[in-house]
């Protein structure tokens, strides 16, 4: 799949007057059945780090209601090289859109300390709809602001 431009994410960031500290376009594949999860970047906000993503194609209310929210509840777990404790609440927000892409944010569970150099994000597909053959983690080089998929 060709990764589309990050229009949904850019529109959200502009509207909310926020910015990404680390920008990327990483396709994690079909974490959610029939929808690719594309990571768009990491925001290191003072209240906690937020992962920005897009589901491609987007998920509108009718599909969300038809399949049930549990079909879209993928999980992300964080850990870093300095032993920070991150919660696993997996809170966030998602903009329902049946268009080409829909933007979402996911709280990674805490603030990334300034001394951290490496952040690993491990992903799990929805238990109601497990995916196969999808990369399960991403390593974020915080110093060089790059992501690498760990398959």
């Amino acid at each position: 799949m060709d990764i589309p431009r990050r229009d949904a994410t850019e529109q959200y960031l502009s509207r909310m007057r926020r910015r990404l500290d680390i920008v990327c376009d990483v396709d994690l594949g079909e974490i959610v059945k029939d929808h690719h999860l594309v990571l768009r970047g990491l925001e290191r906000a003072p209240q906690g780090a937020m992962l920005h993503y897009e589901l491609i194609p987007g998920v509108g209310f009718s599909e969300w209601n038809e399949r049930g929210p549990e079909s879209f509840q993928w999980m992300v777990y964080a850990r870093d090289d300095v032993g920070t404790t991150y919660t696993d609440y997996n809170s966030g927000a998602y903009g329902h859109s049946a268009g080409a892409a829909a933007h979402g944010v996911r709280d990674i569970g805490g603030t990334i300390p300034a001394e951290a150099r490496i952040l690993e994000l491990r992903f799990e597909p929805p238990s109601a709809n497990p995916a196969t053959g999808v990369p399960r983690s991403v390593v974020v080089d915080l110093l060089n602001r790059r992501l690498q998929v760990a398959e």
Side-chain angles (χ1 to χ4, degrees):
M1 177 186 93
D2 289 331
I3 299 175
R5 295 174 16 175
R6 68 174 80 90
D7 293 342
T9 298
E10 293 298 334
Q11 289 169 7
Y12 171 84
L13 293 168
S14 176
R15 187 174 62 250
M16 301 304 287
R17 295 190 173 135
R18 293 165 71 175
R19 69 175 180 80
L20 297 176
D21 296 291
I22 299 174
V23 177
C24 65
D25 293 308
V26 176
D27 182 358
L28 291 183
E30 225 178 274
I31 291 261
V32 172
K33 185 174 176 9
D34 302 325
H35 302 273
H36 280 241
L37 178 67
V38 176
L39 305 182
R40 295 304 194 176
L42 188 67
E43 177 184 4
R44 293 178 84 168
Q47 68 274 20
M50 302 296 284
L51 181 66
H52 290 257
Y53 68 92
E54 292 178 8
L55 283 180
I56 299 172
V59 178
F61 283 113
S62 61
E63 182 181 5
W64 179 273
N65 291 329
E66 181 180 307
R67 290 174 53 182
E70 64 280 354
S71 295
F72 301 95
Q73 293 173 344
W74 54 274
M75 305 294 279
V76 62
Y77 302 98
R79 69 180 181 151
D80 63 33
D81 60 333
V82 295
T84 305
T85 300
Y86 294 93
T87 65
D88 58 1
Y89 300 142
N90 274 280
S91 63
Y94 176 77
H96 292 278
S97 169
H103 173 264
V105 294
R106 186 64 64 93
D107 180 348
I108 69 159
T111 302
I112 303 168
E115 62 272 13
R117 300 172 67 181
I118 300 292
L119 177 72
E120 180 182 359
L121 301 172
R122 185 174 52 84
F123 297 87
E124 290 182 7
S127 57
N129 190 18
T132 58
V134 176
R136 298 288 190 227
S137 64
V138 171
V139 176
V140 182
D141 176 341
L142 296 166
L143 295 178
N144 296 305
R145 297 180 172 190
R146 289 189 301 227
L147 278 78
Q148 178 181 354
V149 175
E151 299 189 37

